[in-house]
Amino acid sequence: MRLNIFELRQYAMKPGRRDALITLFEREFVETQEAAGIRLIGLFRDLDRPDRFVWMRGYPDQAARRPALDAFYNSGHWFAHRSATNATMTSSDDVLLLRPLSPALAPDVSAPIPTGEQPGHGVVVLGVHRLDGPNDPLATAFEAACADALAEAGLAVETAGITDPTPNTFPRHPVREGEWVLVWLSRHPDPDAADAALVRARADPRLAPLFATAIQLMRLQPTPRSRLQGCPLIAG
């Protein structure tokens, strides 16, 4: 199943509270969000910012987003855990609302969510790039050329999206407005592999226009119950 609407959410945590939120989230908010119609894509620790919890969720389409969020955030389960959740963070309003750059690059949530019995593995590299608007040529160039160059460097793009300008239908949760961005991600077996691929990509002149627009390049460690994990190590 691929999603036509998804969110990139970055939470600023109180010092030392990120793991407490992850424990609470993975215990209380995985099955309950999925039951409401929200599809969890990935849950991550930012390797370079210990005060950030990053996660992604999505919906089949815009029409499904509001009912799913209403069902979850008006539930007794959310209200029972809301105070404990909010107590771990200082901000939760860094949210990008996105649509896939193309159907082939839409988030795929067909894999089951891990039980959490095994630790998360690998690293996800995620880029956020500034666009001048919906017709910015970078959006076209990305799929036509940049994605291939990234793959040659070892950053095979599995998901990519751009800003969805549809007005936010769930105003209780703000999203970043008045800006256009391109977001992409790739998976890697470990931080060293991710770092080496980023070095190769930065050295490729074909990718200079892409990196010149970078707002963020994040190295993300999947949590145990993240649906999206890094690539496994290849034997031999």
Side-chain angles (χ1 to χ4, degrees):
M1 177 183 181
R2 291 188 180 271
L3 305 175
N4 291 308
I5 294 293
F6 60 108
E7 302 169 8
L8 172 62
R9 310 182 66 85
Q10 301 185 58
Y11 290 178
M13 307 305 302
K14 293 180 179 177
R17 299 304 309 278
R18 181 168 68 181
D19 282 353
L21 175 63
I22 290 170
T23 298
L24 176 62
F25 194 112
E26 294 199 324
R27 185 182 69 237
E28 302 293 346
F29 300 145
V30 174
E31 283 80 9
T32 48
Q33 287 193 76
E34 290 269 323
I38 299 167
R39 296 292 169 252
L40 299 185
I41 300 167
L43 314 173
F44 310 105
R45 294 176 176 89
D46 189 319
L47 288 174
D48 302 304
R49 297 181 299 168
D51 62 343
R52 290 294 186 275
F53 171 62
V54 180
W55 64 295
M56 299 173 68
R57 67 183 177 189
Y59 318 87
D61 50 41
Q62 268 287 359
R65 181 174 180 263
R66 175 62 186 267
L69 293 174
D70 275 335
F72 178 73
Y73 288 105
N74 290 319
S75 69
H77 191 83
W78 166 247
F79 286 120
H81 298 284
R82 178 179 62 179
S83 295
T85 302
N86 292 337
T88 66
M89 64 186 73
T90 61
S91 174
S92 61
D93 58 1
D94 186 349
V95 179
L96 293 170
L97 186 60
L98 306 162
R99 57 180 171 83
L101 194 58
S102 71
L105 294 173
D108 185 352
V109 292
S110 56
I113 292 177
T115 62
E117 295 175 359
Q118 300 294 324
H121 64 264
V123 171
V124 172
V125 171
L126 190 148
V128 181
H129 299 262
R130 180 183 62 256
L131 297 177
D132 287 335
N135 299 316
D136 190 309
L138 180 61
T140 301
F142 185 85
E143 192 169 15
C146 294
D148 287 343
L150 286 168
E152 289 175 21
L155 293 160
V157 176
E158 296 196 9
T159 295
I162 61 171
T163 298
D164 186 318
T166 305
N168 182 17
T169 57
F170 196 74
R172 278 169 59 185
H173 284 191
V175 301
R176 286 161 56 177
E177 297 179 321
E179 61 182 306
W180 280 83
V181 298
L182 165 71
V183 174
W184 60 272
L185 64 83
S186 64
R187 301 188 300 137
H188 306 272
D190 54 49
D192 288 343
D195 291 346
L198 282 167
V199 168
R200 290 190 295 269
R202 288 183 180 278
D204 189 329
R206 295 173 297 175
L207 292 171
L210 177 68
F211 284 107
T213 66
I215 300 171
Q216 289 179 300
L217 287 170
M218 292 179 273
R219 302 182 312 148
L220 305 174
Q221 179 187 60
T223 70
R225 302 208 66 193
S226 176
R227 180 179 258 126
L228 180 64
Q229 297 283 332
C231 287
L233 290 167
I234 300 174

